[in-house]
Structures are given as structure tokens and as C-alpha cells.
Amino acid sequence: GVVLMGGFGVGTAMLQERIDSITEVTDAPDQSVVDRYTLWAAATGMWREHPWTGVGLKNFPEYRDGHATLALSSGSDIAGAGEEYHRQALLSPHSMYLLVLSEQGLIGLLTLAGGWLALLVCALRRLLRARRRGPGLDCALVAVGLLLWLLTDFVYGDIGGPSTVLTGVALGLTAWWALSRDDLPRTARCDEASERVEEAATR
């Protein structure tokens, strides 16, 4: 009982600390938070002016200053994790959905998000089949979890940097698993998966 109450007390304190930190960011946000909100507002402004097709692929930086307020800084300070201090230009709204919406409009966003949602539906269907049949449940959980994480992460992040290749490979393998036929023998599926892994490793 003492351990349980102690754990509950620690958990409550951590929750309160997190709430306090969120309140502090809301009351007095630092420049990175201001930049993010300003970029989101700029992307929304571009979409309102060009709702169907956007401002064009990779044209967000060109139209950014015309839609951003003076609160936007000239760049983001990058340092740590093995990198020397430098200024990183703000070339995207740091949201995959807003980036696509501003550059490609509703047509581009619905096409991209619709494809991801269709892929998620296929993965969920295979997850349900795997739960009934038994084999493949671990792959199903990993695939569905990865898709859910990506769809959530793209709300406040976009593709760019060293993780782009890893994200593409993970998304491709998940799509291959979700869209592949599940009527093959288990040994055939394992052999095919092993061949694909070996081929990717040799590349």
C-alpha cells in the first residue's frame, strides 16, 4: 500500500509538472514556439489564397515572408547531438499536412492523406486476420503502430534530414506487408521477407 501510494504521489507530481510546463509555454513561449505557430499561420494563409492547388511544389519558402508576421525569426538555432552551432533556415511549416496543404492545396492533401488512410485500413484488416489466425500478429502490430506513429508525427513534423531515408524504408516495408497477399504459405512469406531484407542490406 505504501509503495502504491508513493508511486501515485510521484505520478501526480510528474503530471502536475507537465501541466505547469505547458502553461508556461502558453503564457511566455520561446522563439521556437513562436516560429512554429507563425509558420503554421503562414501555411494556412497560403492555402486560403490558393485552396485547390496551393502555391506550387517547394514554393513555401518563396511565399513565406508574404504571409508571416514580424514575429518570425530569420532562422532556428541548431546545436548539440554532434552538430556545431549554426542557423537553420525556416523552409517549411514543420507540419507535413500543412506543408502539403500550402504547396499542393486540397487536391494534394486529400490525395496524400487518403493514400495513407487507405494503407492504414489495409494494415488494420490484416491485423484482424492475424489475430484470428495466429501467425503474423507481431508483424501486424509493428506495421499498424508504425503507421499510427507516422500519421501522428506528421502533425508537428515533416520529412527532412537524415531520418527521411529511414522513414521511407519503414513506410515502404509497411506498405509491402499491408498490401501483400496473405494466402501464401507461411514458409513462402518468410522466405520472401528474408530475400527482401537481404536485398536491402546489399544496397
Side-chain angles (χ1 to χ4, degrees):
V2 174
V3 175
L4 179 60
M5 292 301 296
F8 179 76
V10 173
T12 304
M14 293 178 63
L15 178 60
Q16 184 62 43
E17 182 180 353
R18 178 58 177 164
I19 294 175
D20 293 340
S21 65
I22 294 175
T23 305
E24 291 176 1
V25 170
T26 304
D27 293 340
D30 59 18
Q31 187 58 46
S32 63
V33 176
V34 173
D35 287 341
R36 183 178 294 270
Y37 289 160
T38 305
L39 290 170
W40 286 1
T44 305
M46 296 178 198
W47 166 67
R48 288 175 179 172
E49 290 187 1
H50 308 273
W52 295 108
T53 58
V55 297
L57 192 62
K58 296 185 178 181
N59 281 339
F60 178 86
E62 181 180 350
Y63 286 82
R64 178 198 61 197
D65 293 340
H67 295 81
T69 64
L70 296 177
L72 184 65
S73 64
S74 60
S76 178
D77 296 334
I78 304 297
E83 294 188 18
E84 297 182 356
Y85 172 82
H86 65 279
R87 297 282 290 178
Q88 179 69 41
L90 303 175
L91 303 179
S92 75
H94 298 294
S95 171
M96 190 65 182
Y97 301 113
L98 288 178
L99 177 63
V100 175
L101 186 64
S102 62
E103 292 188 344
Q104 303 177 49
L106 281 175
I107 296 177
L109 180 62
L110 291 177
T111 301
L112 182 65
W116 285 342
L117 289 177
L119 185 60
L120 179 60
V121 170
C122 293
L124 288 173
R125 291 179 60 185
R126 289 211 63 183
L127 173 61
L128 295 177
R129 290 197 295 267
R131 289 189 62 184
R132 290 194 299 265
R133 299 180 181 181
L137 182 59
D138 50 351
C139 293
L141 292 174
V142 171
V144 173
L146 179 61
L147 283 174
L148 290 175
W149 173 77
L150 283 176
L151 293 178
T152 303
D153 180 70
F154 283 154
V155 173
Y156 53 88
D158 51 29
I159 295 178
S163 62
T164 302
V165 176
L166 179 60
T167 301
V169 171
L171 188 59
L173 290 176
T174 302
W176 164 76
W177 179 87
L179 300 175
S180 62
R181 295 178 301 171
D182 57 355
D183 55 350
L184 296 175
R186 185 180 180 184
T187 55
R189 292 199 302 268
C190 293
D191 293 341
E192 185 178 357
S194 300
E195 292 177 359
R196 289 178 179 270
V197 171
E198 292 176 0
E199 182 180 354
T202 55
R203 291 180 180 178

